[in-house]
Amino acid sequence: MTDRYAVIGNPISHSKSPIIHAAFARQTGQDLTYEAILGPLDGFAARVREFMGEGGKGMNVTVPFKIQAFELAERLTERARLAQAVNTLKFEADGGILGDNTDGIGMVRDIRDVLGVPIAGRRVLLLGAGGAARGVLLPLLDEKPACLVIANRTQEKAQQLAAQFADRGDVGVARFDDLGGQGFDIVINATSASLGGEGITLPAGAYGAGALAYDMVYGDQPTPFMLRAREQGAARVADGLGMLVGQAAESFFLWRGVRPETERVIAMLRAG
Ligand code: ATR
């Protein structure tokens, strides 16, 4: 029987998830449909339960519902619990709802496996301390970087976030001004600065030799963060399209037990 899945968000018409999951289904021979649902701003949970009632097996959740999905899920994976946000719901045979967050592992696999940049043993700088940063911290720490430093415009938020993850690895906090000469191997932009059309200027020497600058945001053009990072000496830059496909692949894996290959799907989206 054909199983039904969907992504729910508001707005939703721009979502690439239906195209990505259709490509995954073709690639893996899985019999499923995947649709986009516009979630009512005042009726997220009811719309999820409606889809469940129609026989849906699982959903992806996007802006602005990831925290409501976290609250709705009756069971949570550890990474979702620490992220305090859910991007994947799995409707289980006993009627329960499992909440997962695949954003972080999707990004880690994109950096490590698709871009071929190991995180283990590397110096990693995470810019930002909001929901996007929180969502990737555990999977990043699980890779065992040499160090992971969080820098945020509002320093206290970085300190709070670091404290919450301190027992999971070596998490430090730095002011932007103190990053000079620190030679990070991987710099990840989890701020929303690119969305506002701004790059992020770091002190000289923050990017180490051969550094990767990775923006969680993506677009048709290089993001302001990527452009600024290149000017500042980053050897490689990447946007978050691979993370988008990577998180989708991990959701697909949670639902279907098969992990699709992402590289060709990223290339297909890039080609438009
Ligand atoms: P998200 O869920 O996308 O992480 P958020 O929780 O609102 O959104 O967090 C936005 C992050 O981007 C914050 O870390 C914010 O810094 P502050 O905590 O100081 O507000 C950061 N941010 C937004 N615009 C920025 C800019 N122009 N330069 C640097 N950091 C910026």
Side-chain angles (χ1 to χ4, degrees):
M1 204 185 78
T2 305
D3 289 330
R4 278 179 75 191
Y5 297 88
V7 59
I8 183 166
N10 189 329
I12 201 62
S13 57
H14 65 286
S15 173
K16 295 187 192 297
S17 293
I19 301 171
I20 295 171
H21 283 277
F24 287 165
R26 277 196 303 277
Q27 184 200 118
T28 59
Q30 293 281 310
D31 187 13
L32 59 87
T33 63
Y34 189 105
E35 60 209 87
I37 294 176
L38 180 66
L41 291 174
D42 57 355
F44 167 75
R47 189 64 187 88
V48 169
R49 292 206 184 274
E50 187 183 331
F51 186 67
M52 269 178 94
E54 292 164 4
K57 299 284 189 200
M59 292 175 114
N60 281 126
V61 180
T62 187
V63 180
F65 298 126
K66 288 186 186 183
I67 294 172
Q68 287 185 55
F70 172 75
E71 288 160 358
L72 178 70
E74 290 134 4
R75 283 168 227 145
L76 292 167
T77 61
E78 186 188 31
R79 60 196 183 196
R81 190 169 53 74
L82 285 170
Q84 294 176 12
V86 156
N87 78 332
T88 309
L89 297 171
K90 182 181 181 189
F91 306 143
E92 301 195 295
D94 65 0
I97 302 178
L98 173 71
D100 194 3
N101 190 316
T102 63
D103 287 330
I105 187 67
M107 185 191 75
V108 161
R109 284 180 175 271
D110 187 46
I111 292 174
R112 191 190 65 196
D113 303 339
V114 178
L115 301 177
V117 176
I119 298 168
R122 300 298 182 93
R123 296 173 54 74
V124 178
L125 172 62
L126 182 63
L127 302 172
R134 175 187 293 282
V136 299
L137 263 170
L138 182 64
L140 276 175
L141 288 169
D142 282 348
E143 290 298 296
K144 305 268 179 275
C147 68
L148 197 160
V149 174
I150 306 174
N152 192 49
R153 193 171 55 181
T154 312
Q155 167 94 349
E156 303 82 72
K157 278 171 67 182
Q159 279 162 341
Q160 282 165 14
L161 194 57
Q164 285 167 35
F165 284 83
D167 60 343
R168 307 308 299 251
D170 178 1
V171 197
V173 175
R175 293 179 193 282
F176 279 88
D177 288 348
D178 296 335
L179 297 171
Q182 291 215 22
F184 289 98
D185 301 306
I186 303 172
V187 179
I188 298 167
N189 179 28
T191 76
S192 46
S194 277
L195 298 176
E198 288 178 60
I200 293 184
T201 303
L202 299 179
Y207 290 99
L212 167 70
Y214 190 97
D215 200 344
M216 288 195 198
V217 173
Y218 67 88
D220 295 338
Q221 304 294 324
T223 66
F225 170 76
M226 291 161 71
L227 295 172
R228 191 76 195 98
R230 267 230 189 279
E231 287 167 7
Q232 291 207 281
R236 293 183 70 182
V237 296
D239 71 6
L241 186 67
M243 175 176 175
L244 175 76
V245 179
Q247 61 79 28
E250 297 302 318
S251 299
F252 195 94
F253 178 65
L254 179 78
W255 294 327
R256 311 299 297 183
V258 186
R259 183 175 279 116
E261 187 272 332
T262 58
E263 237 166 304
R264 273 174 296 159
V265 179
I266 296 168
M268 177 190 82
L269 292 176
R270 198 70 82 187

